[in-house]
């Protein structure tokens, strides 16, 4: 399939200020860490007291029944929840040694470092090329000696998203002219074009057919060489297939979501410690 | 009939024919109302056309043939010959007045011909007929003609070049709408320049930057109410704020640009009129722009913000381009309304009779609808014809503005 030398620029410093911060991230060994995190929508507590430390350059899956707060937790990792009126987080989310909810932190900066792929493919109504280039340009993509040109960078990201061969002859066509699966890979290419450290994916394949789903899963595994991936899925086979770590969420008596068990994917699926996890993966409820 | 697996009997009454027939009644009703609308529109167009074409019986002070020299009609004579005609037919006092307005030496041949027509021939419409009368009642037309010995009769389409190139006149045959047309164009330009950016800006603020609290809910509801306020009230507002309150600005005094006319010096200028109409259509533009912005797919915003774009970058690069076709549609509607407004401009101080073209935002003004209003309220039928022709011009103006905006909107839509 893909070879990782397709991305010769992965380590090069093409955005301002990336280098030092990557070092800071490496220090803890964890890409991102939730500490006693609770999230409210106005008065309703959607998620309570989540503690989880997500390993670097691995795929972490979040599973659980509908409404248990999987998306809520995921969105809190790059402060996308800030966009929901009335939503607020308590507790800490530590990223690069910093609580991203600290008052001095700019959520725009957080989202630039932690990319997101949504459930429904949402390419911009612009050309395929522009879809990839826009975010990079916006974030101060610099051309220069030893650095890629924008054209090379767009090609690199589309190759990385396993989309290049399908779109290389129609880069000027609208991103919306692609099929659903291609659109989703375009969204992934768009996300990696700004070189985030973490990519959050909220049920990225739930709107796709089985073949396109498989492609996205392969892509995720390929991307995990360079990126930390956190993926929400309601598809347990998918979690078992692609992820290294799995977190199981459920709701408690007052409908607040909570983390039940978090560990090695093989252990969660073969030897769960909690009876609720066992019940869920064996299909007893949820 | 018993539903399977149900513990109580269920019955259905197959009423499909009745449901279809009630649907058909509605469909027929809507068809009739559509045709009624089309018929009303056609009637309107016919009435306007009927008034704007027809025979006119024209009497003149001097027989035009008598002005010919060696068989050359006065229209084709030289400047010198035309000046001679003026000198021979006008009183010395009248000549001095005209010479003082613009020296004859400064006029070109066409202007001299017009002067001869105005001053020497002084044509008058002795009788004006509508299209229907001209076509189907020739005997009446001929009887009328026989009553005016020496009069000429011509078939006149009142929408002729002179209508556009002449300014206001008390003589229907020589009157035109040039000043009114310029006034309308100036005022609309100012209205768009003021109302579009402010309206779209306010809509962006209300949709993107305000939180959903009681204050802003009240504000939004009030903007909707403002769109329904009678336009004459905006005229009162414009009179108070722009004509009186901002007089140094709207009269141009602040910029040493007063146009020299006493009416303009009091702030009754194109600028005041443009501001007033801008105020009038602002709520419409805001409401429509808000609607268009709200209709932008939230996923698009999330995609942009998720890439580390700021809120403004998201609005500028994604929300506004997506919303622009809708915003333009709303603006078209608003401008169409502004172009036809009369009442607020009368309150702000539109001049009823001016013969000088507006030269800038600080000139006094009249507009097409006001000219039309003035003409239809006169009893003579020739002014009704003049008004009908002017209505055609107003409609053409409206249609071309709309066509421009629609073309712009389609181009924006295609670009995506
Ligand atoms: N924008 C929102 N406003 C209010 N409540 C929300 C919102 N989004 C989600 N919720 C609530 O938070 C809980 C968790 O939702 P979500 O994170 O979407 O669950 P999941 O992704 O696991 O299905 C649900 O009870 C849902 O109703
Ligand atoms: Mg969800």
């Amino acid at each position: 399939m893909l070879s990782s030398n397709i991305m010769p620029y992965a380590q090069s410093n093409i955005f301002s200020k990336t280098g030092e911060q990557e070092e800071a991230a490496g220090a803890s060994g964890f890409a991102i860490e939730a500490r006693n995190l609770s999230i409210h929508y106005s008065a309703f507590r959607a998620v309570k007291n989540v503690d989880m430390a997500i390993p670097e350059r691995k795929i972490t899956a979040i599973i659980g029944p509908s409404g248990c707060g999987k998306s809520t937790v995921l969105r809190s990792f790059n402060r996308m929840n800030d966009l929901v009126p009335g939503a607020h987080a308590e507790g800490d989310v530590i990223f690069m040694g910093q609580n991203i909810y600290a008052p001095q932190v700019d959520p725009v900066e957080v989202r630039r470092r932690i990319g997101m792929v949504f459930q429904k493919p949402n390419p911009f109504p612009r050309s395929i090329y522009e879809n990839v280039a826009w975010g990079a340009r916006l974030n101060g993509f610099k051309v220069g000696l030893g650095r890629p040109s924008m054209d090379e960078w767009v090609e690199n990201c589309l190759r990385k998203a396993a989309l290049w061969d399908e779109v290389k002859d129609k880069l000027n066509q609208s991103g919306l002219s692609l099929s659903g699966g291609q659109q989703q890979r375009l969204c992934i290419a768009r996300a990696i074009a700004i070189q985030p450290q973490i990519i959050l994916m909220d049920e990225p394949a739930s709107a796709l057919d089985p073949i396109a789903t498989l492609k996205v899963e392969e892509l995720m595994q390929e991307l995990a060489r360079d990126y930390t991936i956190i993926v929400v899925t309601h598809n347990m086979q998918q979690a078992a297939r692609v992820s290294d770590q799995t977190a199981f969420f459920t709701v408690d008596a007052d409908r607040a979501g909570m983390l039940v068990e978090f560990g090695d994917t093989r252990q969660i699926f073969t030897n769960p410690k909690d009876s609720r996890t066992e019940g869920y993966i064996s299909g007893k409820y949820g | 009939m018993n539903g399977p697996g149900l513990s109580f009997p269920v019955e259905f009454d197959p009423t499909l024919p009745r449901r279809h027939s009630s649907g058909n009644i509605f469909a027929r009703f809507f068809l009739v109302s559509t045709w009624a609308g089309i018929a009303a529109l056609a009637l309107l167009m016919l009435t306007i056309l009927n008034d704007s074409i027809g025979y006119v019986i024209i009497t003149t002070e001097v027989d035009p043939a008598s002005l010919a020299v060696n068989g050359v009609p006065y229209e084709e004579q030289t400047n010198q010959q035309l000046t001679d005609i003026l000198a021979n037919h006008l009183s010395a006092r009248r000549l001095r007045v005209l010479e003082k307005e613009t020296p004859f030496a400064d006029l070109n041949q066409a202007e001299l011909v017009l002067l001869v027509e105005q001053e020497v021939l002084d044509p008058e419409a002795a009788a004006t007929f509508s299209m229907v009368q001209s076509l189907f009642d020739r005997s009446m037309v001929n009887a009328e003609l026989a009553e005016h010995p020496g009069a000429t009769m011509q078939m006149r389409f009142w929408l002729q070049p002179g209508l556009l190139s002449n300014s206001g006149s008390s003589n229907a045959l020589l009157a035109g709408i040039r000043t009114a047309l310029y006034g309308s164009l100036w005022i609309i330009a100012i209205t768009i320049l003021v109302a579009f950016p402010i309206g779209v800006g306010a809509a962006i603020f209300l949709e993107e930057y305000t939180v959903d609290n009681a204050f802003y809910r009240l504000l939004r509801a009030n903007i909707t109410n403002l769109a329904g306020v009678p336009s004459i009230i905006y005229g009162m507002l414009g009179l108070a704020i722009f004509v009186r309150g901002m007089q140094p600005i709207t009269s141009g005094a602040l910029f040493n640009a007063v146009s020299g006319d006493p009416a303009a010096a009091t702030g009754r200028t194109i600028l005041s009129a443009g501001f007033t109409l801008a105020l009038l259509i602002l709520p419409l533009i805001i409401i429509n722009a808000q609607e268009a912005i709200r209709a932008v797919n939230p996923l698009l915003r999330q995609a942009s913000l998720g890439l580390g774009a700021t809120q403004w970058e998201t609005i500028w690069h994604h929300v506004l381009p997506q919303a622009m076709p809708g915003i333009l549609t709303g603006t078209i509607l608003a401008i169409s309304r502004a172009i036809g407004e009369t009442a607020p401009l009368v309150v702000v101080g539109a001049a009823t009779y001016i013969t000088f073209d507006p030269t800038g935002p600080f000139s006094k003004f009249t507009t097409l609808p006001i000219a039309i209003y003035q003409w239809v309220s006169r009893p003579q039928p020739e002014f009704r014809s003049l008004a009908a022709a002017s209505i055609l011009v107003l409609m053409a103006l409206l249609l071309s503005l709309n066509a421009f905006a629609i073309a712009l909107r389609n181009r924006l839509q295609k670009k995506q």
Side-chain angles (χ1 to χ4, degrees), chain A residues 39-42 44-47 62-75 81 84-85 87 119 202-203 232 249 251 255 257:
Chain A
I39 300 153
H40 297 251
Y41 291 112
S42 302
F44 172 62
R45 184 159 68 163
V47 171
I62 299 179
I63 61 170
S66 189
C68 69
K70 305 183 294 292
S71 301
T72 300
V73 167
L74 195 74
R75 285 198 305 261
N81 262 347
V84 179
Q119 179 166 3
D202 193 351
E203 308 201 17
V232 165
F249 278 73
V251 284
R255 292 208 305 124

